[in-house]
Protein backbone atom coordinates (compact mmCIF):
# COMPACT_ATOMS: atom_id res chain seq x y z
CA UNK A 1 0.00 0.00 0.00
CA UNK A 2 2.01 2.97 -1.31
CA UNK A 3 -0.51 5.75 -0.55
CA UNK A 4 0.12 8.75 -2.79
CA UNK A 5 3.09 8.63 -5.15
CA UNK A 6 4.53 11.46 -7.22
CA UNK A 7 7.05 11.56 -10.04
CA UNK A 8 9.56 13.02 -10.52
CA UNK A 9 11.03 13.95 -7.12
CA UNK A 10 13.21 16.72 -8.55
CA UNK A 11 13.17 18.63 -11.82
CA UNK A 12 15.04 21.57 -13.30
CA UNK A 13 13.50 23.35 -16.28
CA UNK A 14 14.49 26.28 -18.41
CA UNK A 15 12.01 29.11 -18.88
CA UNK A 16 9.52 28.17 -21.60
CA UNK A 17 9.94 24.40 -21.31
CA UNK A 18 6.98 22.19 -20.52
CA UNK A 19 6.56 19.23 -18.23
CA UNK A 20 3.96 17.04 -16.57
CA UNK A 21 3.95 16.06 -12.92
CA UNK A 22 2.41 12.68 -12.28
CA UNK A 23 0.41 11.60 -9.24
CA UNK A 24 -1.24 8.31 -8.35
CA UNK A 25 -3.11 7.04 -5.28
CA UNK A 26 -4.05 3.52 -4.30
CA UNK A 27 -6.60 4.30 -1.56
CA UNK A 28 -9.63 4.38 -3.87
CA UNK A 29 -10.28 8.03 -3.00
CA UNK A 30 -12.69 10.01 -5.10
CA UNK A 31 -10.95 13.36 -4.76
CA UNK A 32 -7.46 14.53 -5.68
CA UNK A 33 -5.64 17.86 -5.36
CA UNK A 34 -2.54 19.71 -6.49
CA UNK A 35 -0.91 22.24 -4.15
CA UNK A 36 2.19 24.35 -4.33
CA UNK A 37 4.26 25.23 -1.28
CA UNK A 38 6.40 28.35 -1.15
CA UNK A 39 8.37 29.66 1.87
CA UNK A 40 6.15 31.70 4.16
CA UNK A 41 3.05 31.09 2.02
CA UNK A 42 1.77 27.78 3.34
CA UNK A 43 0.04 25.51 0.83
CA UNK A 44 -2.02 26.97 -1.97
CA UNK A 45 -4.46 24.94 -4.00
CA UNK A 46 -3.80 24.92 -7.74
CA UNK A 47 -6.49 22.57 -9.06
CA UNK A 48 -8.63 19.79 -7.67
CA UNK A 49 -10.76 16.95 -8.90
CA UNK A 50 -13.80 16.12 -6.80
CA UNK A 51 -14.37 12.88 -8.68
CA UNK A 52 -13.26 11.07 -11.81
CA UNK A 53 -14.18 13.17 -14.83
CA UNK A 54 -14.30 16.54 -13.07
CA UNK A 55 -11.68 19.20 -12.42
CA UNK A 56 -11.91 22.70 -10.94
CA UNK A 57 -9.64 25.66 -10.39
CA UNK A 58 -8.23 26.39 -6.98
CA UNK A 59 -6.60 29.50 -5.63
CA UNK A 60 -3.64 29.78 -8.07
CA UNK A 61 -4.49 28.01 -11.38
CA UNK A 62 -2.82 30.37 -13.86
CA UNK A 63 -0.08 28.70 -15.89
CA UNK A 64 -1.22 25.15 -15.09
CA UNK A 65 -3.49 22.51 -16.54
CA UNK A 66 -4.63 19.20 -15.07
CA UNK A 67 -5.98 15.88 -16.24
CA UNK A 68 -7.85 13.32 -14.16
CA UNK A 69 -6.79 10.30 -16.17
CA UNK A 70 -8.80 7.80 -14.11
CA UNK A 71 -9.76 7.36 -10.48
CA UNK A 72 -6.14 6.68 -9.48
CA UNK A 73 -4.21 9.29 -11.46
CA UNK A 74 -4.19 13.08 -11.56
CA UNK A 75 -1.51 14.93 -13.54
CA UNK A 76 -0.41 18.57 -13.48
CA UNK A 77 1.04 20.18 -16.62
CA UNK A 78 3.13 23.29 -16.99
CA UNK A 79 2.86 24.32 -20.65
CA UNK A 80 5.49 27.09 -20.58
CA UNK A 81 7.41 27.18 -17.33
CA UNK A 82 8.28 30.49 -15.67
CA UNK A 83 10.67 31.23 -12.78
CA UNK A 84 7.62 32.13 -10.64
CA UNK A 85 6.63 28.47 -10.83
CA UNK A 86 9.73 27.41 -8.90
CA UNK A 87 8.16 25.65 -5.93
CA UNK A 88 7.50 22.35 -4.22
CA UNK A 89 4.40 20.66 -5.61
CA UNK A 90 2.29 18.28 -3.57
CA UNK A 91 -0.45 15.96 -4.72
CA UNK A 92 -3.06 14.81 -2.20
CA UNK A 93 -6.15 12.64 -2.13
CA UNK A 94 -9.16 12.19 0.13
CA UNK A 95 -12.79 11.30 0.24
CA UNK A 96 -15.23 14.09 -0.67
CA UNK A 97 -15.85 16.75 0.58
CA UNK A 98 -12.25 17.71 1.40
CA UNK A 99 -13.10 19.63 4.54
CA UNK A 100 -14.61 16.61 6.23
CA UNK A 101 -11.87 14.08 5.62
CA UNK A 102 -8.14 13.77 6.11
CA UNK A 103 -6.07 14.52 3.04
CA UNK A 104 -3.18 12.16 2.28
CA UNK A 105 -0.14 13.80 0.74
CA UNK A 106 2.55 12.56 -1.58
CA UNK A 107 6.26 13.24 -0.92
CA UNK A 108 6.38 16.24 -3.26
CA UNK A 109 8.16 17.34 -6.44
CA UNK A 110 10.81 20.02 -6.08
CA UNK A 111 10.78 22.09 -9.28
CA UNK A 112 13.29 24.78 -10.21
CA UNK A 113 12.76 26.97 -13.27
CA UNK A 114 15.80 28.91 -14.43
CA UNK B 1 -14.70 31.91 2.55
CA UNK B 2 -12.61 30.40 5.29
CA UNK B 3 -9.14 31.57 6.31
CA UNK B 4 -6.51 30.78 8.93
CA UNK B 5 -3.99 32.93 10.77
CA UNK B 6 -0.86 31.47 12.30
CA UNK B 7 1.45 34.01 13.88
CA UNK B 8 5.20 33.64 14.24
CA UNK B 9 6.70 31.75 11.33
CA UNK B 10 9.52 30.35 13.50
CA UNK B 11 8.99 29.05 17.03
CA UNK B 12 11.87 27.96 19.26
CA UNK B 13 11.20 25.75 22.26
CA UNK B 14 13.52 24.03 24.71
CA UNK B 15 13.45 20.27 24.96
CA UNK B 16 10.98 19.33 27.70
CA UNK B 17 9.15 22.68 27.58
CA UNK B 18 5.57 23.34 26.51
CA UNK B 19 4.87 23.61 22.80
CA UNK B 20 2.12 26.12 21.98
CA UNK B 21 1.18 26.97 18.40
CA UNK B 22 -1.64 29.42 17.85
CA UNK B 23 -4.29 29.16 15.17
CA UNK B 24 -7.19 31.56 14.64
CA UNK B 25 -9.73 30.95 11.93
CA UNK B 26 -12.39 32.81 10.09
CA UNK B 27 -15.46 30.94 8.95
CA UNK B 28 -19.06 31.91 8.29
CA UNK B 29 -20.27 28.39 9.03
CA UNK B 30 -19.32 25.80 11.66
CA UNK B 31 -15.79 24.84 10.72
CA UNK B 32 -13.82 21.67 10.34
CA UNK B 33 -10.31 22.29 11.67
CA UNK B 34 -7.09 20.39 11.16
CA UNK B 35 -3.46 20.42 12.23
CA UNK B 36 -0.94 18.86 9.86
CA UNK B 37 2.78 18.28 10.42
CA UNK B 38 5.53 18.27 7.80
CA UNK B 39 8.88 16.69 8.61
CA UNK B 40 11.89 17.75 6.52
CA UNK B 41 11.64 16.72 2.86
CA UNK B 42 8.33 14.94 3.35
CA UNK B 43 4.68 15.53 2.59
CA UNK B 44 2.15 16.63 5.19
CA UNK B 45 0.53 14.18 7.58
CA UNK B 46 -2.48 14.65 9.83
CA UNK B 47 -1.85 15.39 13.53
CA UNK B 48 -5.48 15.82 14.56
CA UNK B 49 -8.85 17.19 13.43
CA UNK B 50 -11.90 18.83 14.95
CA UNK B 51 -15.31 17.92 13.59
CA UNK B 52 -17.60 19.16 16.41
CA UNK B 53 -17.69 15.91 18.38
CA UNK B 54 -15.55 17.25 21.25
CA UNK B 55 -13.83 20.57 21.87
CA UNK B 56 -10.59 19.00 23.14
CA UNK B 57 -9.04 16.87 20.44
CA UNK B 58 -6.17 14.48 21.01
CA UNK B 59 -3.81 13.65 18.19
CA UNK B 60 -0.71 11.65 17.50
CA UNK B 61 2.66 12.05 19.25
CA UNK B 62 1.15 13.62 22.39
CA UNK B 63 -0.32 16.68 20.69
CA UNK B 64 -3.76 18.06 21.44
CA UNK B 65 -5.81 21.08 20.42
CA UNK B 66 -8.78 22.86 21.93
CA UNK B 67 -11.58 24.39 19.88
CA UNK B 68 -12.83 27.67 21.35
CA UNK B 69 -15.73 29.07 19.36
CA UNK B 70 -15.88 32.35 21.30
CA UNK B 71 -12.23 33.03 20.46
CA UNK B 72 -12.33 31.44 16.96
CA UNK B 73 -9.20 29.57 17.94
CA UNK B 74 -7.78 26.07 17.65
CA UNK B 75 -4.40 26.23 19.36
CA UNK B 76 -2.07 23.22 19.33
CA UNK B 77 -0.18 22.15 22.45
CA UNK B 78 2.18 19.48 23.69
CA UNK B 79 3.25 19.47 27.35
CA UNK B 80 6.86 18.44 26.80
CA UNK B 81 8.78 19.01 23.57
CA UNK B 82 10.98 16.29 22.14
CA UNK B 83 13.75 16.69 19.60
CA UNK B 84 11.65 14.68 17.13
CA UNK B 85 8.97 17.43 17.21
CA UNK B 86 11.16 19.68 15.05
CA UNK B 87 9.02 20.17 11.96
CA UNK B 88 6.66 22.59 10.27
CA UNK B 89 3.08 22.69 11.52
CA UNK B 90 0.07 23.86 9.53
CA UNK B 91 -3.42 24.72 10.70
CA UNK B 92 -6.22 24.32 8.12
CA UNK B 93 -9.93 25.11 8.02
CA UNK B 94 -12.89 24.12 5.89
CA UNK B 95 -16.52 25.03 6.15
CA UNK B 96 -19.17 22.47 6.95
CA UNK B 97 -21.33 23.89 4.18
CA UNK B 98 -19.66 21.72 1.56
CA UNK B 99 -17.17 24.41 0.50
CA UNK B 100 -14.65 22.66 -1.62
CA UNK B 101 -11.50 24.25 -0.34
CA UNK B 102 -9.30 23.47 2.63
CA UNK B 103 -7.54 26.73 3.54
CA UNK B 104 -4.08 26.38 5.09
CA UNK B 105 -2.27 28.79 7.35
CA UNK B 106 1.27 29.87 6.51
CA UNK B 107 2.80 27.43 8.96
CA UNK B 108 5.03 27.45 12.05
CA UNK B 109 8.57 26.12 11.80
CA UNK B 110 9.33 24.58 15.21
CA UNK B 111 12.94 24.37 16.36
CA UNK B 112 13.67 22.32 19.49
CA UNK B 113 16.69 23.44 21.48
CA UNK B 114 18.48 20.72 23.44
Amino acid sequence: NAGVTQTPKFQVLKTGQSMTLQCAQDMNHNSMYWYRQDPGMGLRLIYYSASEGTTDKGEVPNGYNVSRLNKREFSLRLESAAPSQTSVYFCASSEWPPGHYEQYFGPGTRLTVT
Amino acid sequence: AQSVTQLGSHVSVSEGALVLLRCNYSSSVPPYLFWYVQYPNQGLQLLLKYTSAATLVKGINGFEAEFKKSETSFHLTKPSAHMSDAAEYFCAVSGSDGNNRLAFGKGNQVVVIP
Side-chain angles (χ1 to χ4, degrees):
Chain A
N1 191 342
V4 179
T5 56
Q6 292 182 237
T7 56
K9 286 187 166 46
F10 301 93
Q11 184 71 49
V12 179
L13 291 178
K14 294 187 189 314
T15 297
Q17 288 185 318
S18 62
M19 78 163 295
T20 299
L21 281 65
Q22 307 285 355
C23 174
Q25 54 95 5
D26 62 2
M27 293 171 284
N28 203 37
H29 286 156
N30 286 310
S31 306
M32 298 184 73
Y33 318 87
W34 277 105
Y35 294 91
R36 61 178 288 173
Q37 182 180 25
D38 303 290
M41 301 290 290
L43 272 76
R44 293 181 291 171
L45 183 65
I46 305 171
Y47 271 93
Y48 65 96
S49 171
S51 61
E52 187 178 354
T54 69
T55 61
D56 283 288
K57 294 178 181 179
E59 184 182 354
V60 288
N62 291 346
Y64 305 96
N65 286 300
V66 290
S67 296
R68 184 73 182 266
L69 305 170
N70 48 56
K71 191 171 185 179
R72 290 188 64 248
E73 298 172 289
F74 188 40
S75 63
L76 177 73
R77 183 160 178 85
L78 287 70
E79 290 291 352
S80 179
S84 60
Q85 295 178 304
T86 293
S87 187
V88 182
Y89 291 85
F90 288 100
C91 178
S93 71
S94 77
E95 291 301 333
W96 186 260
H100 294 205
Y101 297 97
E102 174 182 0
Q103 291 191 17
Y104 292 82
F105 287 80
T109 294
R110 195 170 294 271
L111 174 67
T112 302
V113 183
T114 61
Chain B
Q2 291 76 33
S3 66
V4 168
T5 301
Q6 290 181 254
L7 296 178
S9 59
H10 284 76
V11 176
S12 293
V13 60
S14 297
E15 192 176 13
L18 172 72
V19 179
L20 170 60
L21 303 180
R22 300 179 188 274
C23 172
N24 289 90
Y25 69 91
S26 169
S27 176
S28 57
V29 296
Y32 284 70
L33 292 155
F34 303 79
W35 276 99
Y36 284 85
V37 60
Q38 183 181 30
Y39 298 104
N41 300 314
Q42 294 186 26
L44 280 70
Q45 58 183 275
L46 183 71
L47 264 182
L48 50 81
K49 68 176 182 180
Y50 167 77
T51 57
S52 79
T55 57
L56 184 63
V57 181
K58 294 190 184 301
I60 61 171
N61 301 336
F63 284 92
E64 63 181 36
E66 186 173 9
F67 172 70
K68 292 188 177 181
K69 184 178 178 181
S70 61
E71 298 177 9
T72 60
S73 69
F74 190 57
H75 301 334
L76 181 71
T77 59
K78 181 174 179 177
S80 177
H82 191 274
M83 296 300 293
S84 60
D85 296 325
E88 191 157 20
Y89 294 80
F90 294 94
C91 183
V93 64
S94 177
S96 57
D97 58 352
N99 182 291
N100 297 335
R101 298 182 183 182
L102 187 63
F104 285 86
K106 295 186 177 181
N108 294 122
Q109 184 69 50
V110 171
V111 175
V112 182
I113 302 167

